[in-house]
């Protein structure tokens, strides 16, 4: 639970009342009256050793002081004895004053040297000796405990003082504030006022410093009122403390007003004001104030220039930074190491790394600060290799690095991605003993995580005694990829258990883990935490949220997160576009690029590649061409990601020639681009070209991967290269060490079964143990339908129905096998099985794009131009009969009469689409028809003859491949 503010704990001044504080003496050191035990505990020495120490401190008077005469019990005494006792009492009193004075002097020395153990020993002797302390002793004792970093002990001594004064109170208050316990200092100030002790200028200044530390501006204003009441507001200490308080709390107008109301603006006050403005990033205000300072009679120092440079650095004000540099040269400060580091920082932030390095080179006798500043400078500007070289040079100069040096050079090695350098620096860190520094450890964790060494990064994290939020975030950053993303949610949960409040970096990392893991449930829980921590309006977190929902297939939630963003940048648009494309909503993705441009956001290479991939999905060739022109205009034609998307788009839209032109015009290639071209040629039935590209790929020293061999084996299958296919399949493991996947086995089965080698297929399945591979059996079933192999087809269907009973195409293939052999009872049985299982047949359809509008056709469907389409088909039928076309009614898989079968054939969806395209396009244009099922044999023969009659190229893409019909021939050479 958050601590209440100081203002809420106490009423307004001048009462300074608050709940009474009870001091439990048992919590403080119980100083023993036996000096031997005290000395043993405090100093760890024997009593004789301690006496030797005190002998040195007391300059030879210890023995006399410690030999104290004791008062004897009262008996009947003679006059002479009574007189002697009076003399002894007088001697004891005089001696006690001297001794307490000596104690005070020793305590002063202990305070000066910060020697806590010796100071406690002196205190012990005072108690053992029974010497009554005076006010000076109490002040000295309190001062000793305060200066030695024991404010609680000082507070206890203050409570024992009979006459407390403002000096003692101020000393105790200052000790708590110096230890960082500002709120306790404020509480003590309130107690002092309740005791009726008036503060002096040092008390008020110390209390104001405490207010500044805990950002309690309300209580600070009350202290200011007290300063006015006692007439001390014009004091320079109080004034500077008030200026610092107002500036730190963001009340810059009050800080300026307080500053200029001071009777004297000295250098200290100017430096306080300038420093606070610089720290808050108000560079222009720093320059304005510095101009006023120059007009005054106050001389500036190197510390003043340091604050001004910090302001120039924050506002990237190079011109004024150079002016300050000139002032430094004029006043002889240029080569001062402290100021030089600020100048290097300023030039670095203003992107002048060369000037920063020139200045660095001018300094003689570099210390660790200047080296660290320069290393950080070159690292921040992307010169990571130079940063590591500077680090090596620094070590050669025998300058010992510190934690800031190591943090910067580890960061440089992280960006270099060189694990060897990072591990070497880690060894150096261990050598110099900085392995427990939190900033260094955090940098090491990030270095290991970015290099994929998550276990090493986790070990560094586990070695931390008190990890901070940055440590947790650095650890989380390594659990994004597919292999270890499941650890991200667990680490995030543990971070919450440890009491850490996640920030935006925490949420971004854990949401990326959820995206990789497709863990929608935990992602929603993280979303709830985002709302709880009021980060729902953060654009970076919002982008991570919409990406998580998009990856998990929840595009509605992703759109909601997208619309809630205040500012949508190029990265955000790219994420939502790729989300639509990934979830089969490519049309919306393409629409987004137009909306994005209307908002003034220009697409980058990733946005364009995503949109072009969307065009590939829906075969939107016109939109693809528009995006292609956009790629050329924006200068992204050399990007391999964009080019791969373009080649793939043209290939999938049936424009394999355009894909080949783009591919041949490129200068840079990668494996993905080679694979895209190989698979493109294979899908278009140009197997020879696919294999030729594969050989060129190897000649150019590109190593093929799994996708490459899918394209190569498919090419062999489509052109009937059985022996070559076998050789390529075996070379995967023997030459390239690639283990075949289900897709590779299916390709090999397709090669054999398409060629009718079913005996070899059986042997291959048994040899490779593929009996539970559904993809292999589906491939066999398709080949059985082509070759009419009922026996193997039935066996394949039994396997498939057991493995994937919900796939409708498998039932249809089996039904077609039976129908082709005239076994209509078996056909009826298969149809009934489908009905009982609730499996519905996907209706066959074809579509064409005419004038940016897609027209879909089914055999028994309707269309606004259906009469004209039928008329056109009758016209084509007459022309076909003149060249000897005979309908292949064996491809009609319905138990109807011959004339009805001819009607079925003439109204197949691809023929309807062809007729409409002929009615709607110019004679010179290529006709593109897309079909969701395989083209039948009659339609295949029909398209070949029509392409020759009308002298136009017709391209039909069915569910398996492209068929290019031209001049009476097909690109598949009737092997399909």
């Amino acid at each position: 639970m958050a601590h209440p503010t100081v203002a809420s704990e106490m009423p307004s001044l001048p009462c300074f009342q608050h709940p009474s504080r009870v001091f439990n003496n048992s919590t403080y050191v119980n100083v023993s009256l036996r000096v031997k035990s005290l000395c043993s505990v405090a100093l760890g020495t024997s009593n004789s050793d301690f006496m030797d120490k005190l002998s040195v401190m007391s300059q030879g008077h210890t023995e006399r002081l410690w030999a104290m005469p004791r008062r004897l019990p009262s008996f009947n005494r003679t006059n002479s004895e009574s007189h002697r006792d009076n003399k002894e009492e007088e001697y004891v009193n005089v001696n006690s004053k001297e001794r307490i004075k000596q104690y005070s002097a020793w305590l002063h020395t202990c305070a000066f040297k910060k020697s806590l153990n010796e100071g406690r020993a002196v205190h012990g002797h005072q108690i053992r000796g029974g010497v009554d302390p005076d006010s000076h002793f109490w002040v000295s004792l309190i001062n000793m405990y305060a200066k030695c970093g024991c404010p609680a002990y000082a507070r206890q001594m203050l409570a024992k003082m009979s006459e407390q004064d403002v000096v003692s109170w101020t000393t105790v208050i200052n000790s708590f504030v110096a230890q960082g316990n500002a709120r306790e200092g404020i509480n003590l100030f309130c107690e002092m006022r309740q005791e009726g002790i008036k503060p002096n200028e040092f008390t008020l200044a110390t209390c104001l410093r405490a207010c500044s530390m805990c950002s309690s501006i309300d209580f600070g204003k009350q202290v200011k009122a007290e300063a006015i009441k006692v007439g001390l507001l014009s004091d320079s200490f109080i004034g500077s403390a008030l200026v610092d308080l107002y500036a730190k709390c963001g009340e810059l107008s009050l800080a300026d007003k307080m500053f200029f109301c001071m009777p004297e603006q000295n250098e200290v006050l100017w430096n306080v004001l300038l420093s606070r403005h610089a720290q808050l990033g108000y560079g222009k205000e720093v320059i304005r104030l510095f101009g006023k300072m120059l007009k005054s009679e106050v001389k500036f120092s190197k510390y003043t220039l340091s604050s001004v440079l910090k302001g120039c650095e924050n506002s990237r004000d190079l011109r004024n930074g150079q002016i300050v540099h000139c002032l430094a040269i004029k006043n002889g400060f240029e080569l001062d190491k402290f100021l030089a580091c600020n100048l290097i920082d300023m030039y670095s932030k203003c992107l002048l790394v060369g000037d920063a390095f020139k200045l660095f080179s001018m300094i003689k006798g570099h210390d660790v600060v200047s080296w660290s500043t320069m290393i950080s400078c070159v690292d921040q500007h992307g010169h990571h290799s130079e940063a590591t070289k500077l680090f090596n040079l620094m070590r050669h100069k025998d300058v010992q690095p510190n934690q800031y040096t190591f943090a910067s050079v580890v960061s440089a090695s992280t960006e270099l991605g060189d694990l060897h350098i990072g591990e070497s620096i880690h060894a150096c860190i261990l050598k110099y003993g900085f392995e427990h520094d939190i900033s260094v450890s955090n940098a090491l964790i990030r270095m290991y995580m970015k290099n994929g060494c998550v276990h090493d990064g986790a070990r560094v994290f586990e070695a931390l005694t008190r990890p901070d939020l940055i440590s947790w975030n650095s650890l989380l950053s390594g659990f994004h990829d597919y292999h270890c993303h499941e650890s991200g949610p667990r680490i995030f949960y543990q971070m919450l258990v440890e009491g850490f409040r996640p920030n935006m970096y925490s949420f971004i990392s854990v949401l990326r883990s959820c995206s990789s893991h497709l863990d929608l449930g935990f992602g929603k829980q993280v979303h709830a935490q985002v709302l709880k921590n009021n980060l729902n309006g953060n654009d970076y977190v919002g982008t991570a949220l919409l990406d998580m929902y998009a990856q998990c297939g929840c595009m509605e939630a992703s759109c909601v997160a997208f619309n809630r963003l205040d500012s949508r940048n190029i990265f955000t648009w790219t994420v939502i576009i790729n989300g639509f494309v990934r979830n089969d909503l490519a049309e919306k993705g393409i629409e987004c690029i137009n909306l994005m441009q209307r908002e003034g956001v220009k697409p980058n290479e990733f946005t364009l590649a995503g949109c072009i991939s969307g065009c590939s999905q829906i075969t939107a060739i016109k939109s693809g061409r528009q995006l292609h022109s956009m790629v050329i205009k924006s200068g992204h034609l050399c990007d391999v990601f964009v080019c791969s998307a373009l080649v793939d788009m043209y290939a999938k839209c049936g424009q394999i020639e355009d894909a080949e032109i783009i591919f041949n015009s490129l200068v840079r290639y990668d494996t993905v681009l080679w694979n895209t071209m190989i698979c493109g040629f294979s899908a278009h039935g140009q197997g020879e070209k696919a294999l030729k590209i594969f050989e060129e790929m190897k000649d150019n020293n590109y190593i093929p991967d799994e996708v490459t061999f899918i394209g190569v084996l498919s090419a062999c299958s489509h052109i009937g290269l059985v022996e070559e296919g076998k050789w390529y399949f075996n070379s995967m493991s023997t030459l390239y060490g690639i283990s075949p996947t289900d897709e590779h086995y299916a390709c090999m089965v397709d090669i054999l079964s398409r060629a009718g080698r079913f005996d070899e297929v059986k042997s291959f399945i048994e040899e490779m143990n593929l009996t539970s591979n559904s993809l292999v059996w589906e491939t066999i079933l398709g080949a059985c339908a082509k070759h009419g192999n009922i026996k193997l087809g039935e066996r394949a269907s039994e396997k498939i129905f057991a493995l994937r009973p919900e796939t409708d195409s498998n039932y249809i293939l089996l039904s077609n096998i039976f129908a082709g052999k005239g076994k209509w009872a078996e056909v009826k049985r298969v149809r009934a099985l489908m009905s009982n299982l609730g499996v519905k047949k996907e209706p066959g359809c074809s579509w064409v794009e005419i004038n940016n509008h897609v027209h879909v056709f089914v055999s028994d469907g309707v269309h606004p131009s259906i009469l004209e389409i039928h008329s056109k088909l009758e016209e084509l039928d007459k022309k076909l009969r003149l060249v000897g076309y005979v309908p292949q009614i064996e491809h009609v898989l319905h138990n109807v009469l011959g004339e009805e079968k001819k009607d079925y054939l003439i109204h197949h969806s691809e023929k309807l689409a062809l007729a409409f395209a002929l009615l709607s396009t110019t004679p010179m244009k290529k006709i593109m028809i897309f079909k969701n099922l395989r083209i039948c044999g009659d339609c295949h023969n029909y398209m070949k003859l029509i392409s020759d009659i009308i002298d136009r190229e017709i391209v039909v893409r069915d569910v398996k491949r492209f068929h290019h019909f031209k001049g009476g021939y097909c690109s598949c050479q009737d092997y399909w």
Side-chain angles (χ1 to χ4, degrees), residues 398-415:
D398 295 325
V399 178
Q400 182 171 326
N402 61 14
Q403 63 270 34
Y404 305 106
T405 323
F406 281 124
S408 295
V409 75
V410 170
S411 171
S413 70
T414 302
E415 298 305 322

Side-chain angles (χ1 to χ4, degrees), residues 779-852:
T779 304
I780 293 172
L781 185 61
C784 290
K786 175 180 173 61
H787 291 280
N789 190 332
I790 295 180
K791 185 177 180 180
L792 185 58
E794 286 183 306
R795 183 191 172 194
S797 63
E798 290 175 1
K799 292 287 187 180
I800 295 170
F801 294 161
L803 295 170
R804 296 181 61 185
E806 73 283 354
T807 306
D808 65 320
S809 60
N810 298 320
Y811 296 92
I812 301 304
L813 283 172
L814 180 62
S815 174
N816 292 345
I817 293 174
F818 289 131
K821 297 296 183 178
K823 297 189 175 186
W824 301 111
E826 296 298 324
V827 171
K828 187 176 181 180
R829 181 179 61 82
V830 174
R831 301 280 180 169
L833 178 62
M834 288 180 64
S835 178
N836 293 335
L837 294 175
V839 178
K840 294 184 178 180
K841 177 185 178 298
E842 180 184 4
C845 69
S846 302
W847 63 93
V848 292
E849 184 179 351
I850 306 294
N851 298 326
N852 297 328

Side-chain angles (χ1 to χ4, degrees), residues 765-782:
I765 291 174
E766 293 173 359
E767 181 183 349
M768 298 297 176
N769 192 22
L770 303 176
T771 55
S772 60
N773 190 320
S774 62
L775 186 59
V776 167
W777 287 113
E778 287 178 356
T779 304
I780 293 172
L781 185 61

